[in-house]
Amino acid sequence: MNIVLLGGPGAGKGTQSDKLVDAFGFCHISTGDILRGAVKAGTELGKKAKGYMDAGDLVPDDLIIDMMKERFQQPDTAEGVILDGFPRTTVQAVALDSLLAELERPLDAALLIDVDPEVIVARLTSRRMCRECGYIGNVSDGDTCPKCAGEMYQRDDDNEDTVRNRLDVYAKSTAPLIDYYRGSDLLVTVNGCQEPDKVFADIKELLGL
Ligand code: ADP
Ligand code: ZN
């Protein structure tokens, strides 16, 4: 199965991706994780992307599209992918359609994790991540990752000003994709304001997994 995850920052795309991977072994591709890895490693891509990311702005489409073309070359994508954070603009969605057509791999669903923006600011400013394994937790986890004992930290872009900008960018650039996928009859919507396990149960039912 090839699935696009839609939903604003903090909707729970990463959390639900982890659950899908654990249960079904899909290949999870998070553009945010790839970009953070590139920044940490100090690659050319990372140097170009960092300023946009810290401000909560989108990294330019051509950089993202090239990055994803390269990612789809890898054999682990053949079994099916969960795309988390891509596409984020209509230009990227069109590029994904032609990439998948070229690879003869259909898109099965665009899954919208729907949450109220009011909930998001609180969720994101209290979010913490593991530096080692990428586990997504909360300020209540303290300084140590419950999964691997790595160091928990706050993402540079999870401060309140940047979160508000990310929400604006989402509304302006990414929300239009909801209609894009509704138009091609691929849109499936789950209520993301529930407990993560309940959201996951609903997702399995909606996708027939
Ligand atoms: P979130 O969904 O929580 O906002 P992500 O981890 O998906 O965060 O992305 C973090 C940042 O990486 C974004 O704010 C943006 O700067 C950049 N980014 C990630 N994916 C894309 C994309 N498809 N197009 C442009 N920029 C992206
Ligand atoms: Zn960890």
Side-chain angles (χ1 to χ4, degrees), residues 64-113:
I64 298 289
I65 291 166
D66 284 349
M67 176 179 107
M68 291 304 282
K69 280 187 180 155
E70 210 176 296
R71 184 64 185 85
F72 268 98
Q73 301 287 310
Q74 293 176 30
D76 62 340
T77 59
E79 303 296 320
V81 294
I82 300 171
L83 296 174
D84 166 6
F86 175 86
R88 238 179 173 93
T89 63
T90 307
V91 171
Q92 292 179 20
V94 171
L96 175 64
D97 282 346
S98 48
L99 184 60
L100 289 176
E102 217 172 277
L103 295 167
E104 297 182 12
R105 298 184 201 161
L107 191 63
D108 297 285
L111 174 68
L112 171 64
I113 306 181

Side-chain angles (χ1 to χ4, degrees), residues 4-177:
V4 164
L5 288 186
L6 294 174
K13 300 189 296 294
T15 302
Q16 297 302 325
S17 297
D18 287 348
K19 290 180 184 293
L20 285 163
V21 170
D22 285 348
F24 304 105
F26 293 112
C27 169
H28 174 216
I29 303 179
S30 157
T31 45
D33 285 349
I34 299 175
L35 290 167
R36 279 183 290 278
V39 170
K40 197 174 165 192
T43 65
E44 276 311 304
L45 172 66
K47 283 179 199 151
K48 288 181 190 153
K50 186 173 183 350
Y52 298 103
M53 294 173 73
D54 284 349
D57 291 327
L58 293 181
V59 174
D61 285 331
D62 53 341
L63 289 178
I64 298 289
I65 291 166
D66 284 349
M67 176 179 107
M68 291 304 282
K69 280 187 180 155
E70 210 176 296
R71 184 64 185 85
F72 268 98
Q73 301 287 310
Q74 293 176 30
D76 62 340
T77 59
E79 303 296 320
V81 294
I82 300 171
L83 296 174
D84 166 6
F86 175 86
R88 238 179 173 93
T89 63
T90 307
V91 171
Q92 292 179 20
V94 171
L96 175 64
D97 282 346
S98 48
L99 184 60
L100 289 176
E102 217 172 277
L103 295 167
E104 297 182 12
R105 298 184 201 161
L107 191 63
D108 297 285
L111 174 68
L112 171 64
I113 306 181
D114 201 21
V115 284
D116 179 352
E118 297 303 308
V119 179
I120 295 296
V121 177
R123 241 195 220 181
L124 286 187
T125 51
S126 65
R127 174 163 78 175
R128 298 294 182 270
M129 270 181 90
C130 174
R131 242 184 239 293
E132 302 309 320
C133 75
Y135 164 79
I136 303 157
N138 186 273
V139 69
S140 66
D141 289 313
D143 296 334
T144 309
C145 172
K147 279 198 158 173
C148 80
E151 183 200 351
M152 297 294 284
Y153 78 109
Q154 181 175 38
R155 268 171 50 172
D156 292 341
D157 59 353
D158 276 348
N159 65 78
E160 185 158 344
D161 284 349
T162 305
V163 166
R164 294 205 182 275
N165 187 42
R166 283 159 63 203
L167 285 168
D168 287 347
V169 169
Y170 174 75
K172 192 164 143 280
S173 303
T174 310
L177 293 181

